[in-house]
């Protein structure tokens, strides 16, 4: 058995690589050759890496290693994402903070430093982890999105947008996190940005003006927005009713009449259009903000008959659709009800100063007290939450900075259409997203992020946008302050004031940028777009990028956007996108569920190569069910592969220079060339999982199970050894980019080259491919299996030769006989049958008579045993016993022995063969017991006859 202990073995190999500088040698070898440009999407340096990160990192490593073996020059630059809300939230947690106030009390300078320290800490941790995963990168030469170069590159981009007239400040309904005190953008509200939540939904009565006890019945799940109500919308085309319930007269849609329960009376049927224009009283007539508004019923075709009550509450400052309707109908649009932190603003009566979270219950109780609450029920829906802190979002009207996208949308669509997306549907997702994307909301009211260099003059309304540090210095009032900036972050950068053209001293807006700007600029900032255009041209665009599918709306989008603005083209030629990592039952991994697997635990328990095998065998189009169960099976496969290596090490000891030309060898050599061809094609087509499957099948089935079986008795032949030896090595080279550790171990143990990763990717020898032989071998394999199962049925071991087998071929497979003609010798040898006969039989009839014959027919064995056949049978059984005895004695293949067999049975015809096959220098077959003493003896009874084996190692 081989010695392979995953983690420990991998650590040894890592230090071997380190000591021999294998990666450097590889880079040096490829330097200056044709380049393969891969751009690494930055990993957020915010926590230790998870097993989900390791999927992408394994695929990235796979492709970089593959291209390197093909001789391509590569950059190997790893990236860390350093800024933005996620990092701030985790730093806040570390510091025990829970609000922006805590941060401001602590001091922005200290907070920025804490964020930077967090990046430094976790980029180190992630580097260690990635190294253990086997990822080869130019560690130490990583890019960090927080560095000055990256920041200035984005300044340049924003200035360009400004010069084009695309950068603007807009008032919008923004999805807003009141804990983080900032807006989110549409691309951030993807899968992680929603949760299944239950909210109380309320039915409230809006009193119709001038009528006693007549009300519109309105339904809402956001009671806190009623104080910003302006109108009630109905669909003019659907049916409504006027109904009497108790003392009240209520209006609602016909389809929702059930909400009134029993004991109501329909007074009148109407169309929505009949309700339009009705005036009703404010829910909060005493709030200052509500004064002077005429609340009316308005038409909207978006209202559904069975939504709530068919009458929808409209608060244009609190919802996207409401805002659009408000603009369309020229309704009054109020100021936002809430400030950045969810506290009610001035003008909201008793609500002013209260936090929306605390006020919700009070609002309902107070409405109830005033008898405006009709009914309350729980309502389950998918509701947006903050993508980082998971707080429920509110929607509020506020201003933010945007980049207009209408002009570049068509270019982005066209450019994205040229990209090869894999899987293909991902390209369609990008097109859909580009059709639906709004202007890019780039500003965030936070601290640790890209400072947006926008200066607004309050006096003359002039806007200055700074595009570089140089420009900042030119326009700064105190130039020394610019020189003395410790870094381009808040709070230091906030202190720089510039002079407006009107003469006024103006300050930077306080906002920082969307973190996707940070990552989106990478194809420019890291490729020296500003410093070295020649270099940039050499490496741009990326040949390949590999990230999760969710990055379509995030990193892939941000890069495309920025690249189209700067250069009018897509920054990548091919994209490989993969799905999510789940637990082995297919459920999402969660800390709280207890099913999450940590990277360190996984790598220590199963080893990096077993992890990599899981990642590389998964079709990226589907989620990967990762876990210890699948790892067990992979480990079994790895052991088969390693044991084959051990077998080769033991047996291939006098390898010839040329290959054996026997059919089995020609067959495996043909399979080997096909393997190289298929693996290369699959990898080129990004179907890496199919490539790995091919290698696995070749090593485990073709080579280990089939070929080794075929040549077992031929292995003394150096030419056969060469076939086995080379086939295994070529397959191991193909395996190297997938499983860098195990392939290296095999290389060092058996082939003793300095490193498998310095080998060239194998070239295909088309001449060795013999399709006809491969088909013949498929048939031969089936025939052998058929004969062996016939033997099983008769309970005659393959060691006992039989004179003849007759194969009754189904007439439809008659031509298989021609195919196997050159392989008859192989079949008879493998099955230990002297002669094969062929007859033909009608398939239907055969199946009826024979029950379950083999694939192409059935086989009848000739069971007559002659003296000669009998002697061979005993001899073969004996040889196996002797081999077992050698093994228990701990002998190697090359060790010779002295052998004595005591028995009455006549073995004379086989004496020579037994001696050769068992490595016996001397062999005596005697009838009595030997006189001298032997170290090893074994008594064997074979089919009623007694044999005693005496053995002495020499
Ligand atoms: Zn938040
Ligand atoms: Zn001015």
């Amino acid at each position: 058995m081989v010695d392979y202990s995953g983690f420990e073995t991998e650590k040894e190999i890592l230090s071997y690589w380190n000591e021999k500088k294998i990666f450097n040698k590889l880079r040096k070898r490829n330097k200056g050759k044709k380049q393969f440009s891969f751009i690494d999407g930055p990993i957020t340096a915010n926590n230790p890496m998870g097993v989900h990160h390791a999927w992408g990192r394994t695929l990235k490593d796979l492709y970089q290693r593959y291209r390197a073996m093909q001789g391509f020059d590569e950059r190997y630059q790893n990236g860390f994402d350093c800024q933005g809300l996620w990092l701030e939230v985790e730093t806040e947690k570390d510091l025990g903070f829970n609000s922006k106030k805590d941060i401001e009390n602590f001091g922005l300078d200290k907070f920025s430093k804490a964020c930077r320290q967090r990046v430094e800490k976790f980029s180190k941790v992630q580097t260690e982890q990635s190294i253990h995963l086997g990822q080869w990168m130019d560690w130490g030469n990583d890019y960090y999105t927080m560095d000055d170069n990256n920041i200035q590159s984005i300044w340049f981009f924003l200035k360009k947008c400004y010069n084009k007239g695309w950068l603007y400040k807009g008032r919008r309904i923004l999805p807003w996190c009141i804990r983080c005190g900032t807006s989110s953008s549409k691309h951030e509200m993807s899968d992680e940005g929603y949760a299944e939540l239950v909210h109380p939904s309320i039915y409230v009565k809006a009193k119709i003006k001038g009528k006693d006890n007549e009300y519109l019945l309105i339904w809402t799940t956001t009671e806190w927005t009623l104080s910003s109500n302006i109108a009630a919308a109905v669909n003019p085309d659907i049916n409504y009713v006027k109904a009497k319930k108790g003392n009240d007269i209520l209006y609602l849609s016909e389809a929702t009449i059930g909400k009134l329960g029993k004991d109501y009376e329909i007074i009148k049927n109407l169309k929505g259009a009949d309700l339009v224009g009705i005036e009703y009283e404010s829910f909060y007539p005493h709030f200052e903000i509500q004064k002077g508004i005429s609340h009316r019923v308005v038409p909207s075709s978006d209202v559904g008959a069975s939504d709530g009550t068919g009458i929808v509450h409209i608060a244009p400052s609190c919802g996207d659709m409401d805002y659009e309707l408000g603009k369309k109908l020229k309704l009054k649009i109020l100021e936002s009800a809430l400030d950045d932190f969810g506290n009610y603003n001035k003008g909201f009566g008793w609500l002013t100063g209260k936090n929306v979270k605390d006020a919700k219950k009070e609002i309902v109780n107070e409405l109830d007290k005033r008898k405006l609450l009709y009914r309350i029920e729980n309502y389950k829906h998918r509701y947006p939450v903050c993508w980082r802190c998971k707080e429920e979002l509110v929607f509020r009207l506020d201003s933010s900075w945007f980049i207009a996208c209408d002009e570049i949308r068509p270019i982005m669509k066209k450019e994205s259409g040229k990209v090869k997306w894999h899987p293909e549907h991902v390209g369609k997702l990008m097109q859909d997203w580009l059709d639906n994307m709004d202007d890019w909301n780039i500003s965030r009211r936070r601290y640790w992020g890209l400072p947006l260099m926008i200066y607004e003059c309050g006096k003359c309304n002039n806007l200055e946008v700074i595009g570089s540090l140089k420009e900042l210095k030119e326009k700064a009032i105190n130039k020394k302050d610019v020189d003395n900036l410790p870094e381009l972050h808040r709070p230091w950068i906030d202190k720089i004031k510039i002079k407006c053209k009107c003469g006024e001293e103006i300050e930077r807006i306080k906002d920082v940028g969307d973190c996707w700007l940070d990552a989106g600029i990478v194809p420019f900032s890291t490729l020296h777009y500003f410093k070295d255009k020649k270099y940039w041209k050499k490496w741009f665009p990326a040949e390949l990028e590999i990230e999760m599918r969710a990055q379509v709306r995030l990193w892939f989008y941000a890069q495309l956007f920025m690249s189209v603005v700067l250069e009018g083209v897509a920054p990548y030629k091919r994209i490989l996108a993969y799905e999510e990592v789940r637990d082995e039952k297919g459920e999402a991994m969660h800390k709280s569920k207890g099913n999450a697997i940590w990277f360190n635990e996984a790598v220590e328990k199963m080893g990096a190569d077993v992890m990599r095998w899981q990642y590389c065998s998964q079709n990226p189009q589907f989620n990967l069910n990762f876990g210890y169960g699948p790892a067990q099976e992979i480990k079994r496969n790895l052991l088969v592969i390693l044991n084959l290596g051990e077998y080769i090490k033991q047996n291939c000891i006098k390898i010839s220079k040329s290959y054996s030309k026997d059919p089995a060898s020609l067959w495996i050599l043909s399979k080997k060339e096909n393997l190289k061809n298929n693996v290369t094609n699959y990898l080129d087509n990004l179907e890496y999982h199919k490539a790995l499957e091919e290698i696995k099948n070749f090593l485990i089935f073709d080579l280990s199970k089939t070929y080794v079986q075929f040549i077992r008795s031929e292995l003394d032949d150096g030419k056969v050894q060469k076939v086995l030896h080379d086939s295994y090595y070529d397959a191991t080279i193909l395996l190297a980019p997938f499983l860098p550790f195990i392939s290296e171990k095999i290389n060092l143990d058996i082939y003793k080259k300095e490193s498998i990763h310095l080998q060239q990717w194998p070239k295909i020898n088309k001449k060795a491919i013999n399709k006809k032989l491969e088909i013949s071998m498929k048939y031969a394999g089936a025939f052998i299996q058929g004969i062996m199962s016939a033997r099983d049925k008769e309970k005659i071991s393959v060691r006992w030769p039989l004179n003849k087998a007759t194969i009754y071929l189904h007439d439809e497979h008659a031509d298989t006989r021609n195919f196997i003609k050159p392989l008859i010798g192989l079949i008879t040898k493998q099955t230990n049958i002297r002669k094969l006969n062929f007859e033909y039989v009608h398939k239907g009839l055969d199946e009826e008579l024979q029950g379950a014959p083999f694939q192409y027919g059935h086989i009848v064995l000739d069971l007559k045993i002659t003296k000669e056949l009998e002697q061979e049978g005993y001899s073969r059984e004996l040889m196996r016993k002797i081999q077992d005895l050698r093994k228990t004695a701990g002998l190697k293949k090359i060790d010779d022995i002295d052998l004595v067999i005591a028995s009455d049975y006549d073995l004379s015809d086989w004496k020579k063969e037994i001696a050769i096959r068992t490595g016996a220098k001397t062999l005596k077959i005697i009838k009595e017991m030997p006189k001298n003493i032997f170290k090893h003896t074994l008594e064997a009874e074979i089919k009623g006859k007694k044999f005693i084996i005496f053995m002495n190692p020499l």
Side-chain angles (χ1 to χ4, degrees):
M1 273 306 253
V2 294
D3 153 51
Y4 177 71
S5 60
F7 188 60
E8 290 306 319
T9 306
E10 286 165 2
K11 281 204 290 200
E12 284 166 26
I13 290 171
L14 282 173
S15 42
Y16 173 80
W17 287 342
N18 222 359
E19 181 194 321
K20 297 277 176 185
K21 300 192 164 47
I22 303 296
F23 180 51
N24 288 353
K25 285 176 183 164
L26 177 69
R27 295 193 69 187
K28 212 170 147 193
R29 181 191 80 186
N30 293 341
K31 197 169 183 208
K33 303 236 173 90
K34 195 166 179 276
Q35 72 276 3
F36 170 67
S37 180
F38 182 87
I39 297 182
D40 179 46
I43 180 170
T44 311
N46 197 22
N47 277 306
M49 193 165 109
V51 291
H52 57 289
H53 292 110
W55 189 2
R57 287 173 104 65
T58 296
L59 296 181
K60 291 171 182 187
D61 190 53
L62 164 67
Y63 273 95
Q64 293 190 104
R65 283 177 179 273
Y66 167 55
R67 289 293 185 222
M69 289 176 87
Q70 289 182 320
F72 285 88
D73 193 0
E74 299 180 53
R75 291 176 60 254
Y76 297 104
Q77 192 179 28
N78 173 77
F80 290 113
D81 213 2
C82 315
Q83 304 178 142
L85 191 53
W86 192 20
L87 218 120
E88 286 195 43
V89 169
E90 294 291 307
T91 307
E92 278 185 71
K93 271 192 219 162
D94 263 4
L95 295 169
F97 295 170
N98 199 27
S99 73
K100 283 167 102 168
K101 221 173 245 147
D102 292 337
I103 297 171
E104 298 200 348
N105 291 340
F106 181 62
L108 284 199
D109 52 346
K110 281 200 265 174
F111 186 69
S112 282
K113 280 178 188 157
C115 289
R116 179 178 288 274
Q117 269 163 17
R118 188 175 181 86
V119 169
E120 280 161 2
K121 176 176 167 190
F122 285 107
S123 57
K124 273 203 194 95
V125 172
Q126 291 174 343
T127 300
E128 285 306 309
Q129 292 179 312
S130 304
I131 288 173
H132 204 110
L133 183 65
Q135 197 181 10
W136 268 357
M137 281 297 210
D138 190 4
W139 303 114
N141 183 32
D142 318 84
Y143 71 82
Y144 290 80
T145 60
M146 66 188 176
D147 78 15
D148 289 1
N149 167 43
N150 212 65
I151 287 171
Q152 282 196 74
S153 305
I154 304 165
W155 289 358
F156 177 90
F157 159 82
L158 291 174
K159 176 100 189 200
K160 182 154 184 183
C161 291
Y162 170 69
N163 288 340
K164 291 258 185 194
W166 297 336
L167 184 73
Y168 71 93
K169 183 171 157 181
R171 247 162 79 87
R172 288 287 173 85
I173 298 296
L174 302 168
W176 197 277
C177 175
I178 59 174
R179 199 214 67 87
C180 297
T182 188
S183 66
S184 210
S185 70
K186 215 171 163 183
H187 56 251
E188 289 170 330
M189 288 167 60
S190 49
D191 300 348
E192 275 186 80
Y194 284 89
E196 288 276 334
L197 295 177
V198 177
H199 283 124
S201 74
I202 61 169
Y203 295 78
V204 285
K205 301 189 299 188
K207 188 175 177 302
I208 293 173
K209 268 196 182 161
K211 306 262 180 163
D212 283 342
N213 298 335
E214 278 195 28
Y215 303 93
L216 301 166
L217 193 59
I218 292 176
W219 177 81
T220 181
T221 57
T222 52
E223 66 299 284
W224 67 270
T225 63
L226 285 171
S227 48
S228 298
N229 177 273
I230 295 290
V234 297
N235 188 325
D237 297 326
I238 65 175
N239 295 325
Y240 288 81
V241 291
K242 178 179 181 184
K244 189 166 183 331
K245 166 96 182 173
N247 291 328
D248 290 343
I249 305 234
L250 299 166
Y251 290 86
L252 71 167
S253 74
E254 193 177 25
T256 60
I257 188 80
K259 298 288 178 199
L260 296 186
K262 287 179 200 161
D263 307 324
Y264 62 81
E265 184 193 332
I266 294 179
I267 300 168
K268 197 175 173 187
N269 288 301
L270 340 91
K271 281 280 178 204
D274 302 329
L275 297 173
V276 170
I278 289 179
E279 273 192 78
Y280 64 92
E281 284 176 10
S282 167
F283 293 107
Y284 298 94
H286 304 300
F287 285 8
E288 203 178 315
I289 191 111
Q290 283 278 332
K291 285 189 175 150
I293 299 170
S294 118
H295 296 80
R296 285 173 192 278
V297 176
V298 296
S300 165
S301 54
D302 289 335
V303 177
S306 49
D307 300 346
T309 60
I311 306 180
V312 175
H313 143 65
I314 301 292
S317 60
C318 303
D320 219 2
M321 308 260 276
D322 301 34
Y323 183 71
E324 291 307 319
L325 187 70
K327 275 207 300 195
K328 195 173 125 194
L329 299 176
K330 299 202 166 59
L331 301 177
K332 180 164 185 188
I333 293 171
L334 302 177
E335 286 302 318
S336 173
L338 308 177
D339 69 8
D340 287 9
F341 308 103
N343 300 320
Y344 275 94
N345 285 323
K346 274 191 189 143
F348 286 82
W350 60 271
L351 282 170
T352 296
K354 285 202 158 105
N355 192 275
V356 63
K357 269 165 78 178
D358 309 327
K360 285 182 175 190
K361 253 201 186 125
E362 273 182 79
I363 291 170
V364 175
N365 290 341
E366 198 266 349
L367 286 166
D368 195 22
K369 223 186 262 167
R370 289 195 281 134
K371 303 208 173 353
L372 295 179
L373 184 69
Y374 175 76
R375 154 184 190 155
I376 182 163
E377 62 190 30
N378 281 335
Y379 182 67
K380 191 175 169 183
H381 55 164
R382 241 168 75 83
Y383 191 81
V385 293
C386 175
W387 68 297
R388 276 307 151 219
C389 78
K390 302 297 170 197
E391 178 82 33
E392 288 176 26
L393 296 181
V394 297
F395 288 83
R396 56 187 294 274
L397 183 68
D398 205 334
S399 56
S400 194
W401 290 86
F402 294 88
I403 304 173
C405 66
D406 282 344
E407 260 180 78
I408 67 159
R409 188 196 313 267
I411 313 170
M412 285 175 78
K413 287 194 69 182
K414 191 170 135 237
E415 284 302 308
S416 165
K418 293 181 193 164
V419 175
K420 280 209 174 114
W421 299 86
H422 184 86
E424 234 179 277
H425 71 93
V426 177
K428 175 79 174 47
L429 291 178
M430 179 57 99
Q431 291 292 329
D432 287 349
W433 168 245
L434 295 175
D435 280 331
N436 291 307
M437 67 169 179
D438 293 333
D439 291 351
W440 188 352
N441 175 1
I442 56 159
S443 62
R444 301 286 182 276
R445 293 203 190 138
R446 295 294 307 189
Y447 310 102
W448 175 246
L450 163 90
L452 293 176
M453 299 305 277
I454 301 170
Y455 294 75
E456 283 177 298
C457 177
K459 200 171 161 200
C460 73
N461 284 333
N462 175 35
L463 195 66
E464 290 275 354
V465 176
I466 301 293
S468 68
L469 203 52
K470 192 168 156 254
E471 188 186 347
L472 182 65
K473 201 172 167 182
E474 279 163 17
K475 295 190 175 157
I477 290 162
N478 189 343
K479 314 223 182 284
K480 270 231 170 88
D481 283 355
V482 179
D483 289 333
N484 292 337
L485 278 175
E487 55 183 279
L488 304 182
H489 282 104
R490 299 189 68 185
W492 304 281
I493 193 91
D494 298 345
K495 299 201 179 92
I496 313 286
K497 288 183 183 172
I498 66 170
K499 189 158 252 163
C500 180
K501 57 185 179 189
C502 74
E504 189 78 2
E505 286 187 7
I506 49 179
E507 285 183 350
R508 197 183 76 78
I509 59 166
K510 292 289 177 284
D511 306 34
V512 295
D514 177 6
C515 64
W516 294 106
L517 288 166
D518 302 349
I521 200 69
V522 158
F524 296 89
S525 57
T526 66
L527 299 181
H528 311 325
Y529 180 70
F530 302 95
K531 274 185 285 181
D532 185 352
K533 271 269 158 61
K534 217 172 122 196
Y535 182 88
W536 176 78
K537 273 190 184 140
K538 184 176 163 192
W539 294 100
F540 181 96
E543 296 287 336
L544 179 64
E545 288 181 358
I546 301 174
E547 300 295 333
M548 273 188 81
R549 194 249 307 140
Q551 297 292 348
V552 164
R553 290 161 157 223
L554 303 170
W555 192 52
F556 294 140
Y557 156 72
Q559 284 180 91
L560 180 65
F561 196 112
M562 296 174 95
S563 184
V564 163
V565 168
L566 292 176
E567 286 289 328
V569 293
Y572 35 70
K573 288 189 194 163
R574 293 213 296 175
I575 295 288
L576 169 57
Y578 56 92
E579 292 294 319
E580 286 170 26
V581 173
R582 299 283 171 95
D583 75 4
E584 58 187 71
K585 289 184 199 132
E587 283 173 36
M589 285 193 194
H590 281 302
K591 242 194 263 187
S592 54
K593 263 207 247 165
N595 66 344
I597 300 179
W598 305 111
F599 177 87
N600 287 359
E601 178 199 307
V603 83
E604 279 169 32
K605 282 196 185 158
M606 62 177 88
D609 270 355
V610 171
M611 294 174 75
R612 292 175 69 114
W613 185 310
Q614 291 197 56
Y615 299 130
C616 292
S617 57
Q618 176 62 44
N619 182 341
Q621 203 168 335
F622 306 105
N623 292 333
L624 162 61
N625 297 343
F626 182 93
Y628 292 103
Q632 280 308 320
E633 201 198 316
I634 289 168
K635 212 149 198 186
R636 276 193 290 276
N637 286 333
L638 285 177
L639 284 178
V640 173
I641 294 170
L642 288 166
N643 280 322
L644 176 59
E646 193 60 23
Y647 181 77
I648 290 168
K649 197 171 155 187
Q650 295 292 331
N651 290 288
C652 298
I653 44 182
K654 48 168 183 139
I655 303 163
S656 298
K657 286 220 165 72
S658 60
Y659 288 134
S660 169
K661 295 232 163 30
D662 70 280
S665 293
L666 290 177
W667 166 74
I668 198 73
L669 290 170
S670 172
K671 288 290 265 192
K672 179 178 72 139
E673 295 310 314
N674 275 327
L675 175 73
K676 291 182 201 168
N677 193 33
N678 294 343
V679 169
T680 307
N681 286 340
Y682 280 137
L683 279 175
D684 286 347
N685 292 331
L686 304 178
E687 295 172 299
Y688 58 86
H689 58 291
K690 290 186 184 169
L692 181 58
E693 182 72 12
E694 290 269 321
I695 304 171
K696 179 184 101 180
N697 287 339
F698 178 83
L699 279 168
I700 292 180
F701 298 107
D702 297 338
L703 201 57
S704 178
K705 295 221 163 82
T706 311
Y707 183 67
V708 165
Q709 179 63 31
F710 285 169
I711 48 93
R712 205 169 273 276
S713 58
E714 250 58 56
L715 206 50
D716 288 332
D717 182 349
K719 293 182 174 179
V720 170
Q721 290 180 17
K722 179 157 175 70
V723 173
L724 180 59
H725 184 264
D726 287 8
S727 302
Y728 186 63
Y729 197 41
D730 275 0
T732 306
I733 294 173
L734 297 175
L735 197 59
F738 296 89
L739 310 181
F741 295 104
I742 282 192
S743 56
E744 189 72 298
K745 180 177 167 56
I746 291 171
N747 169 63
L748 296 176
D749 281 357
I750 305 168
Y751 298 93
K752 313 216 183 302
K753 301 266 171 60
E754 188 177 22
S755 171
I756 192 130
H757 304 291
L758 294 174
Q759 303 309 302
Q760 295 281 356
W761 191 251
K763 294 233 159 29
I764 297 143
N765 173 14
K766 288 223 165 100
K767 271 194 228 145
I769 296 180
N770 185 339
K771 278 266 149 66
K772 197 177 161 205
L773 179 63
E774 285 189 30
I775 297 169
S776 302
M777 191 58 105
K778 221 167 83 191
Y779 290 136
F783 281 53
I784 290 167
Q785 233 176 26
I787 296 171
M788 295 307 273
S789 60
R791 272 183 170 279
D792 269 1
K793 230 159 130 193
E794 303 286 352
K795 297 199 170 55
I796 305 173
S797 139
V798 71
R799 282 184 289 278
W800 294 83
L802 293 174
N803 199 38
K804 195 173 78 180
T806 305
I807 296 174
Y808 290 86
L809 266 183
H810 293 156
D811 32 20
E812 63 183 75
H813 294 301
D815 67 326
T816 54
R817 199 189 153 177
N818 296 328
F819 272 104
I820 62 156
K821 243 186 207 159
L823 299 177
I824 299 269
L826 182 82
I827 299 171
T828 54
K829 202 161 153 215
Q830 289 297 315
T831 55
N832 206 5
I833 303 270
R834 294 289 155 86
K835 203 168 150 242
L836 272 189
N837 262 2
F838 288 94
E839 301 282 344
Y840 298 101
V841 60
H842 188 266
K843 187 183 174 193
L845 184 69
D846 187 46
E847 279 173 346
E848 208 173 292
L849 294 175
Q850 301 293 330
F854 89 107
Q855 202 175 349
Y856 305 110
H858 76 273
I859 295 153
V860 177
L861 302 175
D862 178 356
L863 301 173
K864 241 186 286 151
I865 301 280
T866 62
K867 190 76 201 158
E868 181 223 342
L869 294 176
E870 190 191 73
Q871 204 184 112
E872 182 181 337
Y874 280 116
S875 303
R876 287 189 187 279
E877 293 280 8
L878 257 178
M879 286 191 277
R880 212 191 102 199
K881 302 269 183 202
I882 297 163
Q883 295 295 5
D884 288 347
L885 188 60
R886 286 182 61 109
K887 242 185 228 165
T888 24
L891 297 185
K892 289 213 174 101
K893 203 178 153 69
I894 44 162
D895 298 333
D896 287 333
I897 52 168
D898 271 344
L899 195 63
V900 173
I901 300 169
S903 173
D904 285 342
Y905 189 77
D906 175 17
L907 291 164
S908 51
D909 290 351
W910 275 77
K911 192 177 163 192
K912 207 172 150 192
E913 185 79 13
I914 294 170
I916 294 171
R917 301 252 166 198
T918 59
K921 264 265 155 84
T922 65
L923 168 59
K924 280 185 204 147
I925 301 174
I926 51 177
K927 292 206 168 136
E928 358 22 82
M929 299 302 256
K931 300 221 167 50
N932 42 339
I933 293 165
F934 283 82
K935 234 177 146 177
H936 305 280
T937 59
L938 179 74
E939 231 182 281
E941 195 177 304
I942 303 166
K943 291 207 174 180
K945 294 199 191 319
K946 218 169 132 184
F947 299 86
I948 310 173
I949 304 161
F950 301 90
M951 183 180 91
N952 260 343
L954 286 177

